[in-house]
């Protein structure tokens, strides 16, 4: 695997690389990231991964400084996954000016769901992903469904701004007890880790009820919220939205997604489950 830390070196390599499938990450790689790499590899061309902890998508008081940085271990995993090139720029390489003055502004959905609790987050994501796309120039890019709102923001951005990149959604990797794999799971104590699958179980209960024909969305989401709060969680939201535009779902919708975000101890965990009615 070739490792590039500057934009210029990467661009020189890219000129002769042919078809590229791209996996943007912030490092601290787990099985979920590796499944993105495998999906990229299955396309047959070169696989490029980026590791960059993007300051622009972290808010005041969030974990930018403490976000786990595990570069050596990450490289071992990427080599084992057959990745061809790793782009690992410094903050100065990607943001050489003291302040990034041009930013990519997603539409109003950026202020809902996670955006309501992380102001500016999706602007930071859309901006860095645009920069990475401009540097890597991939033919396809893999995004995990675990960050469902992020996936929708990127899909909308690529469509509206005519970026010639296929966005490939990849299913969420899960532990055997259902917990969605996430770098932030590492913040959980042993006791919290045992409690953590409750979020998944509540989303699954809503999915099962929807599949059985339930239409009282408020009752379903409030029951999930109450169960989580009764077990010590601080809930940001549990909502049922439509899969395409993330608008509030309405009875009669066939393609929905149940999304939740809540804090358990230090970390804020997010998860979601798609519901497609036949
Ligand atoms: O999902 C992530 O890890 C990040 O939001 C991304 C897409 C790499 C942008 O920094």
């Amino acid at each position: 695997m070739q490792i590039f830390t500057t934009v210029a070196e990467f661009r020189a390599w890219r000129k002769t690389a042919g078809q590229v499938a791209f996996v943007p990450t912030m490092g601290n790689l787990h099985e979920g990231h590796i499944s993105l790499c495998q999906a990229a590899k299955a396309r047959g061309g070169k696989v490029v991964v980026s590791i960059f902890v993007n300051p622009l998508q972290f808010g005041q008081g969030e974990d930018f400084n403490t976000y786990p940085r595990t570069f050596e271990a990450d490289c071992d995993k990427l080599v084992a996954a057959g990745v061809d090139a790793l782009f690992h720029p410094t903050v100065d390489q990607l943001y050489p000016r003291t302040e990034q003055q041009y930013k990519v502004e997603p539409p109003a959905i950026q202020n809902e769901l996670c955006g309501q609790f992380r102001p500016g987050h999706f602007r930071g994501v859309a901006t860095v992903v645009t920069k990475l796309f401009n540097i890597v120039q991939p033919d396809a890019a893999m995004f995990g469904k675990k960050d469902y709102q992020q996936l929708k923001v990127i899909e909308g951005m690529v469509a509206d701004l005519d970026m010639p990149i296929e966005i490939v959604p990849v299913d969420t990797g899960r532990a055997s007890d259902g917990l969605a794999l996430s770098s932030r799971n590492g913040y959980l104590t042993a006791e919290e880790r045992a409690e953590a699958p409750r979020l998944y179980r509540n989303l699954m209960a809503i999915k099962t009820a929807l599949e059985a024909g339930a239409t009282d969305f408020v009752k379903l989401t409030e029951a999930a919220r109450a169960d989580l709060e009764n077990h010590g969680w601080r809930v940001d939201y549990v909502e049922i939205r439509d899969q395409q535009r993330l608008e509030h779902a309405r009875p009669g919708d066939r393609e929905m997604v149940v999304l939740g975000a809540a804090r358990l101890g230090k970390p804020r965990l997010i998860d979601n489950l798609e519901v497609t009615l036949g």
Side-chain angles (χ1 to χ4, degrees):
M1 180 175 75
Q2 288 184 263
I3 301 177
F4 302 98
T5 54
T6 69
V7 175
E9 284 167 342
F10 182 84
R11 284 207 159 119
W13 176 85
R14 177 69 187 96
K15 280 199 179 107
T16 56
Q19 292 276 316
V20 159
F22 177 42
V23 181
T25 83
M26 298 203 300
N28 193 232
L29 304 178
H30 50 66
E31 277 306 310
H33 296 109
I34 300 309
S35 67
L36 296 177
C37 294
Q38 284 160 350
K41 193 131 186 91
R43 303 178 68 86
K46 295 272 195 307
V47 178
V48 174
V49 171
S50 65
I51 295 181
F52 180 67
V53 185
N54 171 37
L56 224 57
Q57 70 188 74
F58 288 79
Q60 291 264 332
E62 290 191 349
D63 56 347
F64 172 71
N65 287 325
T66 55
Y67 195 85
R69 289 156 171 90
T70 51
F71 186 69
E72 300 301 329
D74 290 350
C75 284
D76 291 346
K77 290 176 188 168
L78 295 176
V79 169
V83 168
D84 298 285
L86 171 61
F87 181 51
H88 178 53
T90 59
V91 172
D92 286 348
Q93 264 295 311
L94 232 53
Y95 300 116
R97 303 204 286 173
T98 41
E99 194 193 339
Q100 172 83 8
Q101 295 178 4
Y102 289 82
K103 295 185 181 138
V104 178
E105 193 67 33
I109 187 63
Q110 70 164 318
N111 299 318
E112 298 183 33
L113 298 167
C114 284
Q116 202 187 330
F117 301 90
R118 305 188 68 189
H121 171 71
F122 290 108
R123 184 186 308 122
V125 169
T127 302
V128 81
V129 170
T130 299
K131 287 169 71 77
L132 291 168
F133 282 177
N134 285 339
I135 296 163
V136 174
Q137 305 205 349
D139 300 281
M142 318 288 143
F143 285 85
K145 286 190 188 176
K146 164 152 176 298
D147 297 298
Y148 206 85
Q149 190 176 5
Q150 168 172 281
L151 169 67
K152 293 293 148 180
V153 165
I154 300 300
E155 283 179 345
M157 178 181 87
V158 163
D160 277 7
L161 300 182
D162 301 303
M163 296 180 176
I165 300 166
E166 181 191 349
I167 301 301
V168 181
V170 177
D171 285 340
T172 303
R174 296 187 181 279
S176 56
D177 59 7
L179 178 67
L181 300 181
S182 164
S183 299
R184 291 188 170 103
N185 292 349
Y187 295 142
L188 295 165
T189 64
E191 199 184 331
E192 288 161 357
R193 173 62 190 82
E195 168 63 17
R198 186 176 301 278
L199 178 60
Y200 166 75
R201 288 202 300 272
N202 270 288
L203 301 185
M204 185 54 93
I206 296 176
K207 176 178 160 87
T208 305
L210 292 172
E211 286 170 347
T215 52
D216 190 340
F217 296 168
V218 174
K219 190 171 161 197
L220 292 174
T221 53
E222 284 307 313
R225 175 184 280 274
D227 181 59
L228 290 163
E229 287 177 350
N230 288 338
H231 290 86
W233 295 66
R234 284 164 293 140
V235 179
D236 282 352
Y237 63 81
V238 178
E239 294 205 23
I240 305 170
R241 300 272 180 136
D242 87 278
Q243 281 177 25
Q244 297 311 319
R245 303 176 66 87
L246 290 185
E247 286 165 356
H248 290 279
R250 287 176 305 205
D253 282 353
R254 321 281 328 152
E255 295 192 335
M256 295 175 274
V257 55
V258 189
L259 308 108
R263 279 181 199 281
L264 181 61
K266 184 175 172 216
R268 179 176 181 277
L269 303 182
I270 63 171
D271 200 355
N272 66 80
L273 291 172
E274 289 178 320
V275 183
T276 303
L277 303 181

